[in-house]
Amino acid sequence: MASSPTDCHFCLQSLRGRKYALREENAYCVPCYDSLYANPCEECKQPIECSSKDLAYKGRHWHEGCFRCAKCSRSLVEKPFAAKDEVLLCTECYSDEYSSKCFHCHKTIMPGSRKMEFKGSSWHESCFVCQYCRQPLGTKPLITKDNDNYCVPCFEKQFAHHCYTCKKVITSGGVTYHDQPWHKECFVCAVCKTQLSRQRFISKDEYPYCVDCFSKFYAKKCAACKKPITALGGAKYISFEEHQWHGECFNCAKCSVSLVGQEFLTRQDDILCHKCGSA
């Protein structure tokens, strides 16, 4: 059995009946040990005597009673804490001061909890849900409307337009015709199926037709030139009994003077000015 030390290694005074501390197998009386080896406290700057508990963190030391949150002064002994610029803070104060706030509930996103990032804002995972079905969005595709997020199926169900022809969702662009939405590729001539989104068309019985098809199948023919009367661009035409004329074709069959707004006479299928018809 090893014998007890008899003298302080530094001051050489007897240790009999006195408390002492060991360091590298050498014994020291308490005053000598504290003066030689006690760490200064970061908070109060006083030495942490060998009779006191020394709390250390990253090479720094505190008395047990000095190891507190720099903001709220609550003890950090055996509690989780965080350091910011060498200042110790409890997790609550650190979160209030430095942690992100949830865009939805405006509460702090605590350190260690999962955080979702979207369009420069942070969210609790439990707050980042579809506004309609309330299911977590996670990393799923989503659509935002009026600052609310929706999963794609719910957004399409609630807000998206469906094509009048194919009934599928119109995700971008589209054409409105008779207050109904259409895909551009679905908005075609009812006869030849040519896309009409970038060309003139004529409506008949709620269906669109390209000019050529409408002229071929539905337009009335001018009694003079026999060409279709489409009335595109607001063109005027004249109708008399069962005949129609382009405005520029409504001329006297004999002298070719325009009869638009003038009195005229008919002879079989011809129209004549009053002078030619009376001759």
Side-chain angles (χ1 to χ4, degrees), residues 24-90:
E24 297 177 355
E25 298 184 358
N26 295 317
Y28 297 85
C29 64
V30 171
C32 286
Y33 182 89
D34 288 341
S35 64
L36 292 172
Y37 302 114
N39 295 306
C41 175
E42 288 286 331
E43 179 65 23
C44 69
K45 310 305 179 185
Q46 298 300 312
I48 304 173
E49 300 170 341
C50 64
S51 60
S52 301
K53 192 172 183 178
D54 185 338
L55 300 180
Y57 174 71
K58 291 188 175 181
R60 301 158 67 200
H61 300 264
W62 288 263
H63 288 106
E64 185 175 13
C66 295
F67 195 60
R68 296 178 176 276
C69 172
K71 186 175 181 181
C72 69
S73 298
R74 285 184 290 184
S75 174
L76 299 177
V77 177
E78 297 183 357
K79 293 181 180 179
F81 63 90
K84 179 71 174 178
D85 300 327
E86 297 189 354
V87 175
L88 302 185
L89 298 167
C90 64

Side-chain angles (χ1 to χ4, degrees), residues 106-213:
H106 308 295
K107 295 181 180 179
T108 299
I109 301 175
M110 299 297 288
S113 60
R114 190 173 182 186
K115 178 174 66 174
M116 309 302 296
E117 297 282 349
F118 179 65
K119 289 187 176 180
S121 298
S122 301
W123 308 65
H124 290 112
E125 185 179 21
S126 58
C127 292
F128 196 59
V129 299
C130 172
Q131 181 69 17
Y132 185 73
C133 69
R134 311 308 298 176
Q135 293 299 307
L137 291 169
T139 57
K140 298 177 184 177
L142 61 92
I143 300 174
T144 300
K145 178 179 174 61
D146 301 330
N147 289 330
D148 291 324
N149 300 319
Y150 298 85
C151 63
V152 174
C154 285
F155 182 86
E156 292 179 351
K157 181 178 180 180
Q158 291 293 106
F159 304 109
H161 295 296
H162 291 75
C163 178
Y164 182 77
T165 298
C166 70
K167 310 305 179 185
K168 295 180 180 179
V169 172
I170 300 174
T171 57
S172 63
V175 176
T176 299
Y177 171 69
H178 281 191
D179 296 325
Q180 297 292 344
W182 307 59
H183 288 114
K184 288 183 179 179
E185 58 271 21
C186 292
F187 189 62
V188 297
C189 172
V191 176
C192 69
K193 307 304 179 184
T194 300
Q195 287 193 24
L196 300 177
S197 59
R198 294 185 179 180
Q199 62 175 290
R200 295 186 298 177
F201 62 90
I202 300 173
S203 174
K204 178 177 174 60
D205 300 329
E206 298 187 359
Y207 290 98
Y209 296 84
C210 67
V211 175
D212 290 342
C213 287

